[in-house]
């Protein structure tokens, strides 16, 4: 049963009931071979990314995997318990030195297009933008979209890093930020007419740093999208949106200017206080002269728009992450608390066999417990991107892990969450907005169960050179219904549903938006299929 209380939009709700109940204990099992993912990830620079979204809108999460020079990029189409590789037939099997990719609806037509960055800075373009056409086909629109970059010559070793997207000027279209290691940040403003304008210099973000992952989010709650960037060997950056097309770095004042070897980034409300905390991976070096260096957990203490983050990693038991890369917040056991996963390692030396780490949360903002061995997420391969999603649609979150190695036995991994006992209910919420931002990037989804409120974000770009699906997954424990689902849409409108059944995938679609007051109930409706 779904009852609606109020909404600022017209909406339609579609529900799909899975046949398998989730479990309360996480145990990760490598099912890569069974699913057709026996893919070698070649060693390249500082790693390679993975973009995991449902690109064809069939309810199943697909994978785009950039590959090194001379190896075709891969597009794995999820067909239920099996991935089928379709990059060649879809037209996205480039042989360029691809490294990181992002799905976004750049032209606002309601389907997902694909942005790929490669490291051949001598080439005519460092980017390829593919427009999705009907029939699982893609067209290269790099030139006409205005994102073809001239050759960039940097004497040092360099590569592209994270890509993230969001609406920085509130026109509804998604803009793109790309990071480099080393090099300047690049910000591309969506013109709304099928192209982009490079506003890196004019916006103030073209600062040369050793940048790794970036994330777009409204950090200060003023309704304008900001940009956070993890920096290697220097202070992290928080570009605060000045609402006039420019950005100012306020990381130092906000307590977000960690200056270690920051690489991967995950945002999540680990302490359940209604705002997003930040977890950043690093290299663990406890002793001088190089140390102390470690993963950092930046607890959000912002009040009334005054940004304030406190570093609490040691107190919360999540500082020891070895040589860290990809990371994600996830509720692996469906108990309502956000756990943490991180992948680690390096090509050689003492960090070559660093294990992956899994930190289980007891809830209530209490310290995490390190349970990597218990949940079987303790491999010793050199990890890169790490993403969470319910790939088998059985009601719990799985992991996709990209591992870098010269050893052809190390693949792209799908780690299915296969717990030993049943229990722990869940709810998946998929907000779908009006055009041009149909996938509701920038939306915040809240679920209230028994007086406890859980918070998730719909974003484009996370972890380390990664992207997770445009959906919000909530574990709700023993609850049989959710008291309230609240969606704060990009642009300021909201939708509230009450008495929502659990163990289902709920798609909430905004049918139109014209800025009317949320109390005007004559302007919205809800249906259940």
């Amino acid at each position: 049963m779904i009852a609606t209380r109020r909404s600022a939009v017209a909406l339609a709700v579609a529900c799909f009931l899975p046949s398998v109940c989730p479990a309360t204990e996480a145990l990760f099992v490598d099912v890569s071979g069974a699913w057709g993912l026996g893919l070698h990830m070649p060693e390249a620079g500082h790693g390679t990314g993975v973009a995991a979204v449902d690109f064809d809108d069939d309810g199943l999460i697909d994978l785009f995997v950039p590959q090194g020079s001379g190896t075709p990029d891969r597009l794995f189409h999820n067909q239920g318990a099996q991935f089928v590789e379709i990059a060649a037939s879809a037209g996205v099997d480039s042989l360029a030195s691809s490294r990181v990719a992002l799905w976004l609806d750049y032209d606002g037509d309601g389907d997902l297009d694909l942005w790929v960055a490669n490291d051949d800075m001598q080439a005519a373009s460092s980017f390829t933008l593919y427009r999705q056409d009907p029939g699982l086909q893609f067209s290269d629109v790099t030139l006409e979209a205005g994102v073809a970059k001239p050759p960039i010559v940097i004497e040092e070793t360099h590569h592209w890093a994270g890509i993230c997207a969001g609406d920085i000027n509130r026109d509804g279209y998604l803009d793109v930020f790309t990071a480099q290691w080393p090099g300047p940040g690049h910000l591309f403003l969506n013109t709304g007419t099928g192209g982009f304008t490079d506003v890196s210099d004019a916006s103030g973000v073209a600062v040369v740093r050793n940048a790794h992952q970036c994330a777009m989010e409204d950090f200060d709650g003023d309704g304008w999208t900001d940009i956070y960037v993890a920096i290697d060997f220097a202070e992290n950056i928080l570009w605060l949106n000045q609402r006039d097309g420019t950005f100012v770095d306020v990381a130092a004042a906000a307590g977000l200017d960690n200056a270690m070897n920051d690489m991967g980034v995950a945002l999540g409300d680990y302490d359940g206080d209604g705002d997003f905390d930040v977890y950043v991976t690093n290299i663990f070096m406890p002793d001088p002269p190089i140390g102390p260096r470690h993963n950092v957990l930046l607890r959000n203490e912002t009040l009334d728009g005054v940004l304030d983050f406190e570093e609490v990693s040691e107190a919360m038991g999540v500082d020891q992450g070895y040589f860290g890369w990809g990371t994600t917040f996830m509720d692996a056991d469906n108990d309502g608390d956000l756990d943490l996963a991180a992948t680690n390692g390096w090509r050689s030396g003492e960090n070559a066999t660093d294990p992956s780490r899994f930190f289980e949360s007891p809830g209530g903002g209490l310290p995490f417990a390190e349970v990597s061995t218990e949940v079987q997420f303790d491999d010793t391969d050199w990890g890169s991107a790490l993403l969470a999603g319910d790939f088998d649609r059985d009601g719990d979150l799985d992991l996709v892990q990209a591992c870098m190695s010269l050893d052809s036995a190390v693949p792209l991994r799908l780690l299915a969450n296969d717990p030993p006992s049943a229990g722990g209910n869940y709810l998946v919420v998929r907000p779908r907005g009006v055009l041009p931002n149909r996938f509701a990037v920038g939306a915040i989804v809240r679920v209230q169960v028994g007086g406890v409120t859980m918070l998730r974000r719909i974003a484009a770009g996370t972890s380390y050179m990664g992207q997770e699906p445009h959906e919000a997954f909530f574990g709700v424990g023993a609850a049989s219904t959710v008291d309230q689902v609240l969606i704060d849409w990009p642009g300021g409108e909201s939708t509230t549903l009450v008495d929502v059944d659990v163990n289902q995938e709920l798609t909430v679609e905004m049918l139109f938006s014209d800025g009317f007051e949320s109390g005007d109930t004559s302007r919205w409706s809800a249906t259940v299929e």
Side-chain angles (χ1 to χ4, degrees):
M1 170 184 169
I2 297 177
T4 58
R5 179 175 298 164
R6 65 176 178 83
S7 176
V9 297
L11 56 91
V13 181
C15 305
F16 305 93
L17 292 175
S19 59
V20 181
C21 291
T24 56
E25 301 167 300
L27 189 69
F28 294 103
V29 178
D30 190 340
V31 297
S32 311
W35 277 65
L37 284 182
L39 172 68
H40 170 52
M41 304 290 291
E43 189 280 326
H46 289 158
T48 293
V50 178
V53 305
D54 176 11
F55 84 90
D56 58 342
D57 210 18
D58 65 353
L60 300 173
I61 304 168
D62 311 297
L63 298 172
F64 181 83
V65 188
Q67 293 289 280
S69 179
T71 302
D73 294 336
R74 310 296 178 92
L75 176 56
F76 291 100
H77 187 215
N78 190 341
Q79 299 186 1
Q82 186 72 32
F83 284 105
V84 176
E85 206 287 299
I86 63 168
S89 63
V92 294
D93 58 334
S94 170
L95 295 175
S97 55
S98 304
R99 178 175 300 276
V100 57
L102 194 78
W103 294 95
L104 74 157
D105 183 5
Y106 89 95
D107 51 3
D109 66 351
D111 56 33
L112 287 168
D113 312 299
L114 181 63
W115 183 303
V116 184
N118 73 77
D119 294 337
D120 185 359
M121 299 302 184
Q122 307 299 319
S125 179
S126 298
F127 305 120
T128 303
L129 179 61
Y130 297 102
R131 182 189 64 219
Q132 184 173 171
D133 299 324
L136 303 185
Q137 297 295 303
F138 291 82
S139 298
D140 185 340
V141 295
T142 310
L143 290 175
E144 62 190 78
V147 296
K149 294 294 296 179
I152 302 172
V153 179
I154 302 177
E155 292 182 0
E156 300 177 68
T157 300
H158 60 275
H159 60 75
W160 289 108
I163 306 176
C164 57
D167 181 9
I168 66 167
N169 59 353
R170 299 180 53 160
D171 66 350
Y173 287 89
L174 294 184
D175 313 297
V176 177
F177 180 86
T178 63
Q180 282 189 86
W181 193 101
H186 289 268
L187 180 61
F188 295 89
L189 186 70
N190 196 319
T191 64
T193 57
F196 292 87
T197 300
D198 188 339
V199 296
S200 309
D201 292 324
S203 64
V205 304
V207 174
V208 177
R209 292 280 179 87
N210 294 311
H212 280 301
Q213 185 57 42
C214 56
M216 284 195 181
E217 185 58 55
D218 179 10
F219 280 82
D220 59 354
D222 67 349
W224 293 77
T225 299
D226 311 304
I227 307 171
Y228 184 66
V229 190
I231 305 295
D232 200 358
F233 299 108
E235 298 83 2
N236 292 347
I237 294 172
L238 175 59
W239 295 118
L240 198 67
N241 196 324
Q242 301 299 292
R243 314 182 194 184
D244 60 359
T246 66
F247 292 80
V248 173
D249 181 11
V250 299
L256 289 168
D257 60 332
N258 194 62
M260 298 179 189
N261 296 103
D262 299 65
M263 291 175 281
V265 176
L267 273 63
D269 183 15
Y270 88 91
D271 54 358
D273 65 350
D275 51 32
F276 290 114
D277 311 296
V278 182
Y279 189 65
V280 185
T281 57
N282 271 275
I283 303 173
F284 187 77
M285 296 180 179
D287 302 318
I290 299 177
R293 295 174 185 238
H294 50 80
N295 290 357
V296 296
L297 177 59
L298 301 161
R299 187 173 64 203
N300 195 336
E301 302 286 356
T302 298
L303 184 64
D304 297 329
V306 180
L307 289 166
D308 183 19
F309 287 79
E310 181 182 355
E311 209 288 284
V312 295
S313 61
E314 185 175 0
M316 291 297 105
V318 294
D319 56 325
Q320 165 51 304
Y322 295 100
F323 203 120
W325 299 99
T327 183
T328 184
F329 279 106
M330 62 184 299
D331 184 358
D333 48 4
N334 286 4
D335 64 353
D337 305 315
L338 282 180
D339 311 304
L340 261 175
T343 189
N344 309 291
W346 187 235
R347 60 171 61 92
S348 61
E350 62 180 316
N351 299 110
T353 58
D354 282 352
S356 292
R357 303 283 272 176
F358 193 90
F359 303 99
E360 183 180 13
S361 171
L366 296 173
F368 291 74
E370 194 275 305
V371 293
S372 310
T373 300
E374 290 85 342
V375 302
Q376 295 186 174
F377 185 62
D378 59 351
D379 65 274
T380 57
D381 298 309
W382 173 17
S384 183
L386 182 68
L387 307 170
D390 188 1
F391 292 92
D392 51 11
R393 291 303 184 200
D394 67 348
D396 50 36
L397 288 173
D398 314 302
L399 286 169
V400 161
Q401 178 192 26
C403 295
M404 310 301 299
S405 176
L406 297 175
D407 180 356
S408 61
V410 180
L412 174 73
R413 287 198 178 98
L414 174 61
L415 302 171
N417 194 340
D418 187 19
S421 60
N425 297 320
Y426 72 96
L427 179 68
V428 175
V429 181
R430 298 193 191 102
R432 292 297 179 261
V434 295
L435 299 179
N437 188 7
R438 178 173 178 264
F439 294 90
V441 173
I444 304 298
V445 184
R446 293 177 174 85
V447 161
Q448 188 176 86
V449 184
V452 175
T453 300
M454 292 173 279
L455 182 69
R456 304 289 187 270
R457 58 194 289 261
I458 306 299
T462 188
S463 183
Y464 181 74
M465 301 186 189
Q467 181 178 18
E468 293 181 333
H470 303 97
E471 60 186 39
F473 185 99
F474 297 90
V476 296
S480 59
T481 60
V482 167
D483 300 328
Q484 185 178 96
V485 175
L486 174 66
I487 301 173
D488 291 329
W489 300 91
E493 297 169 323
S494 64
T495 295
T496 302
L497 310 177
V498 300
D499 300 329
V500 179
D501 290 337
V502 300
N503 294 341
Q504 64 178 354
E505 297 163 27
L506 182 70
T507 299
V508 183
E509 183 178 359
M510 182 188 293
L511 301 180
F512 65 88
S513 172
D514 59 5
F516 56 84
E517 294 296 322
S518 61
D520 184 2
T521 57
S522 66
R523 303 297 297 275
W524 58 266
S525 63
T527 59
V528 177
E529 297 179 1

